[in-house]
Amino acid sequence: MKEINLLPDYLRPEERVLALASAQGEGFGVLACTNQRLIFLFVGLLRRQFLVINWNEAKAIRYDQSTRTFAVYTAKPTKRAVPAMAVRVASLEDARVVAHAAQTASAAPRLDIV
């Protein structure tokens, strides 16, 4: 929960949070969808991870139910494409809520949700 309390420090003044989900990157943190970008924040004792994808860079979001991986691509997702951001989101419903908010925030038809 400390990441949620720290999240305002990472937001731009005009940025609004549209959806939040618990996620795991290098540690357990928060995945936040804002009106401008997608953010993953983890703050540990020895490590910190801050991943950001602006909506003008994002091309697609994929959620793999078997691995529970929520991946954001800045290029067309293919078998060889490497996601710009990949975190684990345990709850399918949380992944759907964040993906829906992302699609709404990114000017819809441009962002593919798979």
Side-chain angles (χ1 to χ4, degrees):
M1 294 304 287
K2 68 181 171 264
E3 284 83 3
I4 292 174
N5 294 328
L6 293 173
L7 188 59
D9 297 338
Y10 292 87
L11 297 177
R12 298 171 182 153
E14 67 282 355
E15 204 166 15
R16 291 177 297 115
V17 175
L18 305 175
L20 291 172
S22 172
Q24 180 182 3
E26 290 185 14
F28 285 99
V30 65
L31 179 64
C33 176
T34 75
N35 59 323
Q36 296 181 2
R37 56 198 177 147
L38 195 63
I39 300 169
F40 172 74
L41 176 63
F42 159 70
V43 178
L45 293 174
L46 303 174
R47 293 191 143 160
R48 176 179 300 242
Q49 188 178 21
F50 180 65
L51 303 172
V52 178
I53 301 292
N54 291 313
W55 291 132
N56 60 352
E57 299 170 338
K59 301 291 185 236
I61 292 175
R62 283 194 173 169
Y63 182 72
D64 184 333
Q65 284 185 292
S66 62
T67 62
R68 300 177 195 261
T69 302
F70 187 94
V72 182
Y73 293 85
T74 55
K76 184 178 179 180
T78 63
K79 287 186 178 185
R80 293 186 179 186
V82 176
M85 175 193 292
V87 295
R88 291 186 58 174
V89 177
S91 166
L92 174 61
E93 187 56 33
D94 285 351
R96 284 184 179 156
V97 167
V98 172
H100 177 71
Q103 193 171 33
T104 302
S106 67
R110 192 184 63 66
L111 184 66
D112 294 329
I113 308 294
V114 184

